[in-house]
Amino acid sequence: MKYIKNNISKLAIICVAFLSSCDYDSTNQDPTRPGGENVELVAIVPAMQTQTHRNIGAVLGRYAGIITQQWEGVDAQQLQYTTYVIGENDTNNPWDFGLYTGSMRDAADIIERATNLEAPNTRGLAKIYMAINLGLATNAWGDVPYSEAFQGEDNLSPKYDDQEELYGVLQTLLSEAITDLNAEDPAGIQGDLVGGSNEQWISAAHGLKARFYIQQTIVNPNAAQMALDELDMATSSNTDQLDFFFENTQNGGHPLALFGFQRPNTMVIGDYFSNLMMGDPRMPLYMNESAGGTFRYFDANDPNLFWSKLDSPSPVISYAEVKFIEAEALERTGGDGTEAMEEAILANMSYLGVTTANANAYLSSIGSASIETIITEKYKALYGQSPMQIWNGYRRTGFPSITPNPDGENGNNPSGIIPRRLLYPISERQSNPDAYEAAIQAQGGHLLDDDIWVFPSN
């Protein structure tokens, strides 16, 4: 792991443009990033945000989407991933360049600088983004470095923190972010590409707190109620939702669109997902059918494909996700989640541009809420915007009822089940071996069919 701080200074616009073009998918070059003592916060914040939203939708997102059968590979590496051949070399780049020398390092840097500069609002934003990225990391790998991860040359072999403790860290980060964003700060939030108000970021932080609570329903009997307690203060409409918009260019575009341009004809919509979406008014907004009968997630000539355009958005947390969390939490605490589930579906369809008449007609076909119905509808609604949350929902509930790939048994997935986690990257085995081995021993393994603490097998 490359924890040493990069002290190369660049103009902010050059750094952000270069970073936006890097999907860290087929290159091992560490993106040039803002650094140095004299670089202002306004130069680092855009890099942190851009890489974070790329992390959500790029390599980790594709792994999660292929594992949950929203996509499937038809050529090249994607074909291997579809049969769960995802090894330690495949996880190097998202771990190293996406997270630990990318957006997480930027977030840690901003938190330190903003503290020194007495800029609490910007520090609060960085804590939200640190939580988002740490959430991605621990969802994928379980125990991961955090408390010792950003000490530079003072500690090149950071320990892996226990996942149960990391879930406490996530809540602390978000609570501190809310406090920071409520603080008086004449400079306000500096460098924010999303352009949200303090109130919108506070609402998003409450929504993220609810997300991380609902993920703990198997291991914490109070998790659903704790999620509900946050939702009264969370994002309350599509208008209130915060979106990051990618550039309408082949350098800085949305990861799905870039992958469609750069790796054409290697990944398509999965059969399970296309069959599930039949009759759903969102289907033509997610996919179109090729002459050969497969369904494509990307077509440069189809402007209706909402999530695979260069300038597609990336929600910080969508209002629809907030309402799905509410629906599930109500069901788990003895209430009726039907109304919240319907509001979630309507919010998602409205956001995508589905007409009210078509949305209402769809609602009339789904019946009342149950955990299975809520998670299956969430699987449909979060397509394209948050693949990791879809995989999280499956690992936690067993829904939707997908079946393992019949060719999914291999050395990294000896039981052949739908993967429960990712392998730690080879860079960790080579450069941080003691901490790496300790983490594997603490969790009872790190193969694809090994559980992580928060998602024990159902």
Side-chain angles (χ1 to χ4, degrees):
M1 183 184 294
K2 296 172 181 159
Y3 297 96
I4 301 176
K5 292 186 177 179
N6 183 345
N7 290 319
I8 301 172
S9 298
K10 295 289 182 183
L11 292 174
I13 190 168
I14 295 174
C15 294
V16 174
F18 186 90
L19 176 61
S20 298
S21 69
C22 181
D23 190 274
Y24 57 84
D25 195 23
S26 59
T27 177
N28 288 323
Q29 294 181 355
D30 190 4
T32 301
R33 311 183 65 81
E37 294 300 322
N38 296 322
V39 176
E40 296 182 359
L41 292 172
V42 70
I44 310 173
V45 169
M48 172 191 70
Q49 291 181 304
T50 300
Q51 187 61 61
T52 297
H53 290 279
R54 197 163 298 287
N55 291 342
I56 292 168
V59 181
L60 290 178
R62 287 197 298 277
Y63 291 161
I66 288 173
I67 287 168
T68 57
Q69 300 176 19
Q70 292 194 321
W71 300 305
E72 63 183 50
V74 292
D75 195 11
Q77 290 172 305
Q78 285 57 247
L79 191 57
Q80 298 174 12
Y81 302 154
T82 301
T83 56
Y84 315 143
V85 181
I86 308 172
E88 61 180 1
N89 287 306
D90 299 303
T91 56
N92 253 351
N93 287 333
W95 175 289
D96 285 337
F97 305 132
L99 294 166
Y100 281 100
T101 66
S103 51
M104 290 176 74
R105 196 207 69 186
D106 284 342
D109 190 12
I110 293 166
I111 290 168
E112 180 180 355
R113 291 170 186 261
T115 300
N116 294 336
L117 294 170
E118 298 183 356
N121 289 179
T122 304
R123 181 176 62 193
L125 178 71
K127 289 179 178 179
I128 289 174
Y129 274 91
M130 179 65 88
I132 292 171
N133 285 285
L134 180 58
L136 287 172
T138 192
N139 288 162
W141 289 287
D143 295 2
V144 294
Y146 176 72
S147 61
E148 297 180 358
F150 309 105
Q151 298 175 2
E153 293 178 316
D154 292 337
N155 187 351
L156 300 179
S157 302
K159 70 175 184 179
Y160 286 50
D161 294 296
D162 177 80
Q163 187 179 51
E164 184 174 3
E165 295 175 359
L166 289 173
Y167 267 83
V169 170
L170 292 169
Q171 294 297 332
T172 298
L173 281 168
L174 292 165
S175 294
E176 290 176 352
I178 292 166
T179 299
D180 284 344
L181 288 160
N182 274 314
E184 185 174 343
D185 184 348
I189 301 172
Q190 301 176 51
D192 178 17
L193 294 180
V194 174
S197 67
N198 286 38
E199 290 74 19
Q200 285 175 297
W201 281 111
I202 289 169
S203 296
H206 284 292
L208 290 165
K209 286 173 73 69
R211 171 193 282 179
F212 293 125
Y213 279 133
I214 206 69
Q215 289 177 6
Q216 299 177 66
T217 51
I218 301 177
V219 296
N220 182 350
N222 299 315
Q225 183 59 54
M226 295 167 83
L228 278 177
D229 292 343
E230 297 294 336
L231 291 172
D232 286 339
M233 299 168 282
T235 302
S236 59
S237 67
N238 283 342
T239 303
D240 191 39
Q241 176 179 312
L242 292 171
D243 288 326
F244 176 93
F245 284 89
F246 287 93
E247 298 174 5
N248 191 22
T249 70
Q250 290 195 38
N251 285 325
H254 191 285
L256 268 184
L258 292 181
F259 195 74
F261 279 112
Q262 297 167 1
R263 304 288 191 276
N265 305 316
T266 64
M267 187 175 78
V268 298
I269 295 290
D271 288 342
Y272 175 86
F273 189 46
S274 61
N275 290 332
L276 184 68
M277 293 301 295
M278 291 292 179
D280 191 304
R282 293 166 291 192
M283 188 173 186
L285 303 173
Y286 288 174
M287 65 192 79
N288 66 24
E289 190 170 7
S290 70
T294 59
F295 284 90
R296 298 173 292 204
Y297 74 94
F298 171 79
D299 182 347
N301 297 315
D302 187 347
N304 294 318
L305 297 181
F306 189 91
W307 292 111
S308 58
K309 294 183 285 189
L310 289 168
D311 59 351
S312 292
S314 174
V316 174
I317 181 171
S318 68
Y319 175 55
E321 182 181 345
V322 167
K323 296 305 289 186
F324 278 118
I325 294 170
E326 179 183 349
E328 180 184 350
L330 285 168
E331 288 289 320
R332 291 187 182 279
T333 55
D336 183 356
T338 302
E339 182 178 350
M341 179 185 71
E342 290 177 347
E343 290 179 11
I345 295 167
L346 288 174
N348 176 245
M349 290 193 175
S350 175
Y351 182 71
L352 295 171
V354 175
T355 66
T356 301
N358 285 341
N360 287 332
Y362 177 81
L363 280 185
S364 67
S365 70
I366 62 172
S368 59
S370 65
I371 298 299
E372 180 175 5
T373 303
I374 291 165
I375 301 301
T376 302
E377 290 300 322
K378 189 176 181 180
Y379 174 85
K380 295 180 179 181
L382 295 194
Y383 168 78
Q385 60 173 285
S386 198
M388 185 65 74
Q389 302 315 314
I390 292 169
W391 189 24
N392 291 343
Y394 172 77
R395 288 182 286 175
R396 189 167 53 85
T397 69
F399 300 124
S401 300
I402 53 180
T403 57
N405 188 297
D407 298 318
E409 183 178 336
N410 59 71
N412 291 330
N413 192 47
S415 67
I417 66 171
I418 293 170
R420 309 291 300 172
R421 57 165 299 143
L422 298 179
L423 272 69
Y424 289 123
I426 191 172
S427 59
E428 283 294 284
R429 177 163 63 84
Q430 293 173 337
S431 65
N432 193 17
D434 292 342
Y436 164 93
E437 290 292 347
I440 292 172
Q441 292 299 316
Q443 295 171 98
H446 79 133
L447 298 181
L448 298 178
D449 56 1
D450 288 318
D451 286 336
I452 55 177
W453 169 80
V454 75
F455 303 134
S457 298
N458 295 294

